[in-house]
């Protein structure tokens, strides 16, 4: 029997999905599991997008252009230009989700063995994409105590080597929900300009900014037009993760030409996803107003609830729909598994994502979890009560004043 | 300005698509271009697949399972078992087209620098996927004079090194249309068994076998269950290339577990494509009977027509909808470009794919082209007449008895 590849063996398992077998155990016991572990929103897809599929009248579901259909790219350029991106259709490659856009960025910017600096904790699949592309992730650590703000410029600079080719950020961030300020982005601009690096900005949560804060894109910065890449996706914006439609944006023509070759090799992004994505561009503002209102309510319930539990620490995120919380436990992964395998409170339990998998530095995040507030307020309240009870009965809990329940 | 990656710069351009700018020139001159260059069939997608999209009643277009929805995989397993594949849903990963299935195979079976033996000419994007995965293509040359049959076993064996991890075939073949016999597959089985290699079989044209010939899959061979991988796709079978739905199949559990990690990193294959793909499993046999009848008529018209031109040599393909022909020209790429840039016959011209890009050995295929018979018989006849005239007036033509037209 031939061996599987070393690189395949070394591919990290998704920390978000690796507890799935334990969730099945809980399901098999008939327990209600509140899924706060995965970024699959329960928010409805805009009706305009679904309607566009329902009236498909094509005879042949053909490939699109490898860069995406020109009609869709034209609509996308308009959408981006309302955000002052100053792009044309030639700056846009439509991709199979943000995932593929990231892979295109890694392949096009970096050789095997090159390094990308990423503030940690970061979206765990960045590890998988880096491994796939043979690129080394160099983490710069952000801290729960200042809400996961951008680490100081000196922390970045001491990590830059001749192998460093790019800095990758997620803004607003998955898993922290942190929204970078204009000043933080300007700091990043100065670093990439000084060291001639790429700045890859994953902005798939762009629409989800709260408390009157505004999103600042790397495409709103001047002077680094040839350094900047935006990773985008319709998955979260329109709650249509299954469409698998994203985008790779750059004003660097040489870079786009290289990325296009990767796009041509895989022929075309999904045609039906593009039909839905193009229609979704006409989603009324009221949809976003409602969604953001809903997420703010959920966030408030979740963050307040979490911080009301003794020993739990959770900063208030400015965007996206995630939060990272520190729990009073010996080990978050062990706790998360126990929640599914053994715990129940009124026949309910909670599924969380252990945060260690969102760090590249070994040993960090071992008491932290990521929570996605993709459930309604009522379910969130129940999930918090579950968690409160769990932390009181869990053997490895470090809560001092346990109340036996 | 930061540099693009070396590997990106070395990515081959698609030989199928690189003449597109010249086709635009022809279009701009108002010329009718017969596109025999690309495998985008004009055949209608089965109505059951389109209908399934038209009745979508989901509120949220969600991710599916990373391995593909269980409903679709159950249907797929049934489909494969009718072909005596003897698989369960656990042997199947639904992928984003056959392209992604090939990438998963390369990453999971091979490390950077490992070698894969591929009979040439081969589907040109195998070069792109190999480059992406850092794998080296070692070609074993097949010959137009015996219709591109499997090269002798000795040719394979002399190429096997400690770096060789896999043999990749396409059956029936793109670009040659060659359909491997049971005996040829058994030869391959003996090689992979002896040297403990993977046998990756791209079978996306499985349904397109002509003249009463039967398709033999590597999954019909016994004794190499842990070595065999089937690459599949709905693109050609149901003429829905834009769905971007393929499959990676293996009975090797360890290998499937590794491939699943790559699948998890990119979250899920397209949901709408899976809906269409699942519905397409109910396509009536009459659809395939009609399609195959149509392709046989086209093939007969094309191959007869081509061989009726002085100096043109084109073996009769047993499957798929491609043929490779040798033309009486100095250089096929130059000729193909000239067809688009300069030639016209009654305001028509032909777009062909120069075959050199389908070979890994430099210098081979320089007088050959790939033709996809994805146009109706009437258009094919017109295209052949164009070609006949073109070969009479082209400066680099090596036809002896030119008839001035």
């Amino acid at each position: 029997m031939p061996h599987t590849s070393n690189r395949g063996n070394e591919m990290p398992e998704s920390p978000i999905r690796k507890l799935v077998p334990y969730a099945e155990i809980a399901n098999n016991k008939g327990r209600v599991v509140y899924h706060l572990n995965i970024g699959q929103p329960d928010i409805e897809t805009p009706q305009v997008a679904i309607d566009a599929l329902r009236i498909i009248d094509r005879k042949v579901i053909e490939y699109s252009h490898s860069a995406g259909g020109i009609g869709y790219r034209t609509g996308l350029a308009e959408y981006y230009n309302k955000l002052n991106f100053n792009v044309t259709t030639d700056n846009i490659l439509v991709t199979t989700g943000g995932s593929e856009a990231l892979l295109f960025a890694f392949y096009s910017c970096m050789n095997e063995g090159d390094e990308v600096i990423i503030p940690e904790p970061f979206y765990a699949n960045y590890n998988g994409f880096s491994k796939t592309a043979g690129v080394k992730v160099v983490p710069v650590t952000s801290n729960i105590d200042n809400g996961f703000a951008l680490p100081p410029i000196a922390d970045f600079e001491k990590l830059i080597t001749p192998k460093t080719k790019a800095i990758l950020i997620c803004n607003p961030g998955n898993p922290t929900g942190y929204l970078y300020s204009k000043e933080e982005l300007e700091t990043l601009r100065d670093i990439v300009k000084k060291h001639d690096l790429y700045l890859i900005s994953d902005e798939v949560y762009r629409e989800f900014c709260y408390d009157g804060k505004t999103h600042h894109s790397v495409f709103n910065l001047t002077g680094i037009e040839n350094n900047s890449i935006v990773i985008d996706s319709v998955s979260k914006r329109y709650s249509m993760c299954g469409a698998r439609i994203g985008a790779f944006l750059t004003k660097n023509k040489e870079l786009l030409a290289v990325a296009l070759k990767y796009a041509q090799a895989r022929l075309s992004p999904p045609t039906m996803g593009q039909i839905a994505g193009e229609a979704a561009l006409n989603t009324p503002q009221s949809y976003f107003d409602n969604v953001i209102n809903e997420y703010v309510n959920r966030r408030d319930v979740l963050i307040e609830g979490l911080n009301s539990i003794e020993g739990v620490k959770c900063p208030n995120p400015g965007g996206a729909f995630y939060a990272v919380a520190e729990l009073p436990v010996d080990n978050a992964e062990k706790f998360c598994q126990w929640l599914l395998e053994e715990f129940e409170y009124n026949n309910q339990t909670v599924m969380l994502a252990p945060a260690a998998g969102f760090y590249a530095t070994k040993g960090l995040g071992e008491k932290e979890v990521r929570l996605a507030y993709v459930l309604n307020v009522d379910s969130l309240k129940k999930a918090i009560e579950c968690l409160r009870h769990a932390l009181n009965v869990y053997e490895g809990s470090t809560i001092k004043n346990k109340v036996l329940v």
Side-chain angles (χ1 to χ4, degrees), chain A residues 2-248:
Chain A
H3 293 293
T4 51
S5 67
N6 297 335
R7 60 175 165 191
N9 299 336
E10 289 162 12
M11 263 297 274
E13 266 193 289
S14 163
I16 306 160
R17 300 199 171 209
K18 76 190 202 188
L19 291 174
V20 168
Y22 301 103
E24 282 164 11
I25 293 173
N27 277 328
N28 290 342
K29 289 181 180 166
R31 283 179 192 154
V32 175
V33 181
Y34 295 109
H35 285 272
L36 301 179
N37 60 306
I38 188 163
Q40 170 57 62
D42 62 334
I43 301 289
E44 290 186 9
T45 307
Q47 196 58 43
V48 283
I50 292 183
D51 287 348
L53 294 170
R54 291 175 62 97
I55 56 163
I56 282 182
D57 64 351
R58 305 191 180 197
K59 292 284 178 202
V60 190
I61 297 171
E62 295 186 325
Y63 291 125
S64 75
H65 190 291
S66 294
I70 189 66
Y72 180 40
R73 275 187 291 144
T74 303
L76 274 178
E78 275 174 37
Y79 159 79
Y80 291 124
N81 286 334
K82 283 185 199 148
L83 306 167
N84 300 314
F85 273 31
N86 195 19
V87 291
T88 70
T89 53
D90 289 341
N91 303 125
I92 304 170
L93 285 188
V94 178
T95 58
T96 307
S99 302
E100 189 181 63
L102 269 162
L103 278 173
F104 286 176
F106 280 14
Y107 290 129
S108 305
C109 299
M110 289 178 267
N111 289 313
E112 285 149 24
D114 281 345
E115 297 173 0
V116 55
I117 298 176
I118 316 181
E120 66 179 353
F122 53 78
Y123 175 49
N125 284 324
Y126 292 169
N127 276 324
F129 301 136
S130 304
K131 190 79 210 160
T132 304
V135 162
K136 190 180 163 197
V137 171
V138 176
V140 54
T141 308
S142 72
N143 201 297
I144 196 168
D145 291 316
N146 64 356
F148 300 106
L150 190 75
I153 191 163
D155 288 10
F156 280 90
E157 292 211 298
K158 72 184 174 198
L159 297 173
I160 294 173
T161 75
K163 289 265 179 203
T164 310
K165 293 291 148 59
I167 294 172
L168 166 59
I169 59 167
C170 184
N171 181 33
N174 174 2
T176 64
Y178 188 81
L179 179 67
Y180 289 117
S181 68
K182 190 158 177 255
E183 291 67 34
E184 287 173 307
L185 283 172
E186 285 167 352
T187 300
L188 286 168
R189 176 191 60 193
D190 295 343
I191 302 171
V192 299
K193 210 168 167 179
K194 182 171 164 195
H195 299 277
D196 205 21
L197 307 176
Y198 288 106
L199 179 54
I200 306 169
S201 183
D202 179 344
E203 303 184 352
V204 305
Y205 300 98
R206 180 184 305 119
E207 270 72 15
F208 307 105
C209 297
Y210 313 130
D211 313 321
K213 285 180 190 150
T214 321
H215 182 257
H216 299 282
S217 169
V218 295
F219 269 29
N220 300 140
L221 297 167
T222 53
I224 52 165
E225 285 76 4
N226 281 322
N227 306 65
S228 299
I229 298 163
V230 164
I231 305 298
D232 203 11
S233 168
V234 304
S235 292
K236 314 293 167 159
R237 186 181 311 144
Y238 307 117
S239 190
M240 45 191 221
C241 298
R244 308 314 298 130
I245 292 295
F248 169 100

